[in-house]
Amino acid sequence: MSPSSASKTPTIQDVARRAGVSAATVSRALSAPEKVSDSTRAKVTEAVEATGYAINQAARSLRMREARTILVAIPNMGNPFYSTIMDSVVREATLRGYGVLVANRVGNDPTQWLRDYFSSNRADGLLLFDASLELGHLPEPPRQKGLLPLVLSCDEIIDGGFNLVMTDNRAGAERATRHLIDQGHTRIGHICGRLVHQFPNERLLGFQDAMRKAGLPIRQDWLFPGDHSMVAGVDAGDRFLALSDRPTALFCANDESMIGFLSRTRAHGIECPRDISLVGFDDINIAENYWPPLTTMRQPRNELGRVATATLIDILEGTAPSGEGLRIVLPSELIVRSSTAPLPATRQAVGL
Amino acid sequence: MSPSSASKTPTIQDVARRAGVSAATVSRALSAPEKVSDSTRAKVTEAVEATGYAINQAARSLRMREARTILVAIPNMGNPFYSTIMDSVVREATLRGYGVLVANRVGNDPTQWLRDYFSSNRADGLLLFDASLELGHLPEPPRQKGLLPLVLSCDEIIDGGFNLVMTDNRAGAERATRHLIDQGHTRIGHICGRLVHQFPNERLLGFQDAMRKAGLPIRQDWLFPGDHSMVAGVDAGDRFLALSDRPTALFCANDESMIGFLSRTRAHGIECPRDISLVGFDDINIAENYWPPLTTMRQPRNELGRVATATLIDILEGTAPSGEGLRIVLPSELIVRSSTAPLPATRQAVGL
DNA sequence: GTGAAAGCGCTAACAC
DNA sequence: GTGTTAGCGCTTTCAC
């Protein structure tokens, strides 16, 4: 395979020598083909193939002061919702010639661990999944050189200055809740997502919107705290079981907490949708094959990942529309399966 | 924040100037503190903090000919099994000072996409999850300079030369099947994992081991083809439903295909474990909260990710035991939940 | 359209 | 122990 006797990986010099041109010309032929004559380009192309040359990214990064790499920060990689997004992120980034680095928070300085990636020239931009974890700690101003955060897919409310790509959480939550109302339910509760400093997030707001518009009361004891995890759903199930006066339907901030709730309550004889109707959010892979199949708001995860990545790279390359507090909102979609059912007329009559 | 008026990110020269030493000394103080006097070290430390210096990885990589980065190749990132492993991979790598790059296959040359990462000096080593996708295409010899593959968590059978970190798939599969046998089942089938070139994989082998030892027949029409996906499980469900003579229990190559199977067959009135007992493999997060809660072989996913990463880095740094066809096998564990039940005596009596 | 030369920030010989 | 020097492989003026 290796053409020359030297076992080193070929450099641009090797290509240049073989093509009978200078290294500068090879560089140009590769990154700006139009600046080079046809014959030269052909010679270089041949030489590249013959030598098996691949660019040394480290050298390029050093010289160009850019890593051609984006950093993806995920709070909880095990979450199936995020892991699916990752797929489209990596795909889009690869297509555009960017590498994808993954970061976990390690250590206890919430600022430093992200910052280091940039100051050490390892990444040019940041894709932050789920704002709750880090947003408050991000260095100011957020858009300082080399730190271009792009937040996506959070249901928290983000104050300006950050570039966002997200689903229409509030409208989606309202749609989900309305589905319950349309089915005749009036006694409706909510398993909440993460609340930052007790502030309502977008999905809670959407839930409230729907309830208010329908003239339905929002009962505090039917508002279950949560954090998008399955155990939060299990906890909500416990609280539900302890209730003397129970709702007949629940809007869950995401599918995982819904699954936790279902699992716990079913173990205590509560049947869904016979005894309780549930709508979730996300439409994770398993939603369709759970029992019962989950009614849920589908987020366009592939689009989310693709658009966020494309936008970030556009910003990095200076081709983004503006780069100033961009806000791209993608629509969600109600997927009706079997975890919701009309409230039986009998129960409706007696006010249950 | 920025101490000097220049807005550039500080270099090692800035630190040197501030500490009143040479750049070489700063470099030494940082990477080999024992080679430098106490007082110098103190001055350098102070200067680093004052300037907010962070090393430029691109420059370091260029100079050292190593990227301090590992590449993780995952065939299907959406799979909850893999995404959980990723978490421990990133954690361990970060602890050891390595970055984690994620790769997806893009384009159609199965060799090139991985190779490029190394020849371009972007990654020093490879963590290959699931061998089926790429192993046959990996360049030979596999352990050529700069290409140190480490394969983990595949249930395929890998011929030597690769470094493996994996679960005891064969023994685990045998254990799972034995659990079914212990419950009185004799009519047992299997939803297969990926078969490479029709060769039995380790889990199929383990299934066969258990059946053979128990003197039970392995029926071809109860061996359902699969690929670890949920739809494969759904397909298996269809085949099962079409059977005139059905097994009473199934060992599923993984939890996801088990879930697909459950979902499809339940929609047709088959109740688990009343009508069929099922054991899976993996113990994915949702296994506990599925309905019924899944009996399954737990893989030590965190350990898998941690050990694989640690081993890879050990190899890269030359501190691994050998680096020659290493094979680390981690134990799996039977988790009994509710998807399996003893075969009712009545059905047993009539040979069902 | 192409080449020569400089330099990105770092580390490793080699002096002292 | 510490400084000086060279050079990793690339891109980019600046000449021609």
Side-chain angles (χ1 to χ4, degrees), chain B residues 11-12 24 27 53 56 60 63:
Chain B
T11 74
I12 203 169
S27 175
Y53 171 75
N56 182 321
R60 182 177 219 265
R63 179 63 229 232

Side-chain angles (χ1 to χ4, degrees), chain B residues 295-346:
Chain B
T295 295
T296 186
M297 294 301 300
R298 174 180 294 164
Q299 292 202 61
R301 281 175 292 175
N302 286 333
E303 266 306 276
L304 230 33
R306 199 191 61 69
V307 170
T309 308
T311 307
L312 177 58
I313 294 177
D314 286 347
I315 294 174
L316 291 175
E317 298 185 341
T319 56
S322 103
E324 262 298 319
L326 229 54
R327 189 183 179 93
I328 300 175
V329 177
L330 268 32
S332 55
E333 178 192 3
L334 177 67
I335 307 292
V336 179
R337 297 203 183 92
S338 314
S339 63
T340 48
L343 187 69
T346 52

Side-chain angles (χ1 to χ4, degrees), chain B residues 26-310:
Chain B
V26 175
S27 175
R28 280 188 283 256
L30 260 29
S31 51
E34 74 283 1
K35 291 185 158 183
V36 115
S37 77
D38 285 3
S39 68
T40 307
R41 200 180 319 132
K43 279 188 291 182
V44 169
T45 309
E46 188 277 333
V48 165
E49 304 217 326
T51 52
Y53 171 75
I55 199 169
N56 182 321
Q57 265 299 335
R60 182 177 219 265
S61 294
L62 176 57
R63 179 63 229 232
M64 308 271 291
R65 306 167 151 286
E66 64 171 35
R68 291 217 129 227
T69 297
I70 61 175
L71 181 67
V72 177
I74 309 189
N76 171 12
M77 221 154 337
N79 186 317
F81 174 72
Y82 292 125
S83 60
T84 307
I85 289 189
M86 267 301 281
D87 204 75
S88 52
V89 169
V90 174
R91 177 159 293 113
E92 178 70 13
T94 307
L95 248 36
R96 307 263 310 242
Y98 279 72
V100 178
L101 264 171
V102 183
N104 240 354
R105 188 166 46 167
V106 173
N108 31 23
D109 181 340
T111 307
Q112 204 53 38
W113 72 281
L114 280 179
R115 194 196 262 291
D116 276 349
Y117 274 94
F118 297 98
S119 52
S120 69
N121 209 263
R122 289 188 84 116
D124 308 315
L126 171 64
L127 231 43
L128 190 55
F129 287 48
D130 191 329
S132 65
L133 203 51
E134 328 294 350
L135 209 57
H137 308 295
L138 241 36
E140 298 290 350
R143 217 164 296 88
Q144 73 186 51
K145 190 190 173 324
L147 221 189
L148 291 158
L150 197 123
V151 184
L152 90 146
S153 175
C154 38
D155 59 353
E156 290 86 7
I157 292 170
I158 311 294
D159 19 331
F162 292 95
N163 301 303
L164 300 180
V165 175
M166 54 195 304
T167 345
D168 56 347
N169 286 299
R170 186 165 182 168
E174 184 181 347
R175 180 73 194 84
T177 308
R178 193 145 36 85
H179 169 64
L180 261 15
I181 296 170
D182 290 346
Q183 302 263 55
H185 293 276
T186 55
R187 303 162 59 82
I188 307 177
H190 175 48
I191 301 181
C192 301
R194 256 176 305 265
L195 263 42
V196 181
H197 306 312
Q198 312 293 352
F199 277 116
N201 57 38
E202 300 232 314
R203 294 188 193 163
L204 174 51
L205 250 23
F207 169 74
Q208 292 170 337
D209 291 345
M211 295 295 276
R212 197 173 314 110
K213 286 184 191 169
L216 261 23
I218 297 167
R219 284 177 50 166
Q220 285 302 317
D221 55 338
W222 292 352
L223 244 33
F224 304 96
D227 60 1
H228 292 183
S229 70
M230 276 193 285
V231 304
V234 170
D235 291 347
D238 283 334
R239 287 172 185 254
F240 174 87
L241 291 166
L243 247 32
S244 55
D245 191 27
R246 295 175 181 164
T248 64
L250 244 41
F251 162 53
C252 310
N254 74 330
D255 290 347
E256 291 210 273
S257 56
M258 175 170 172
I259 285 171
F261 181 91
L262 268 165
S263 153
R264 173 56 119 246
T265 51
R266 177 157 35 202
H268 287 77
I270 306 289
E271 285 274 336
C272 169
R274 189 196 62 192
D275 304 316
I276 182 127
S277 280
L278 298 170
V279 211
F281 211 110
D282 284 355
D283 193 27
I284 58 177
N285 285 339
I286 211 172
E288 185 176 2
N289 291 312
Y290 196 79
W291 189 260
L294 308 182
T295 295
T296 186
M297 294 301 300
R298 174 180 294 164
Q299 292 202 61
R301 281 175 292 175
N302 286 333
E303 266 306 276
L304 230 33
R306 199 191 61 69
V307 170
T309 308

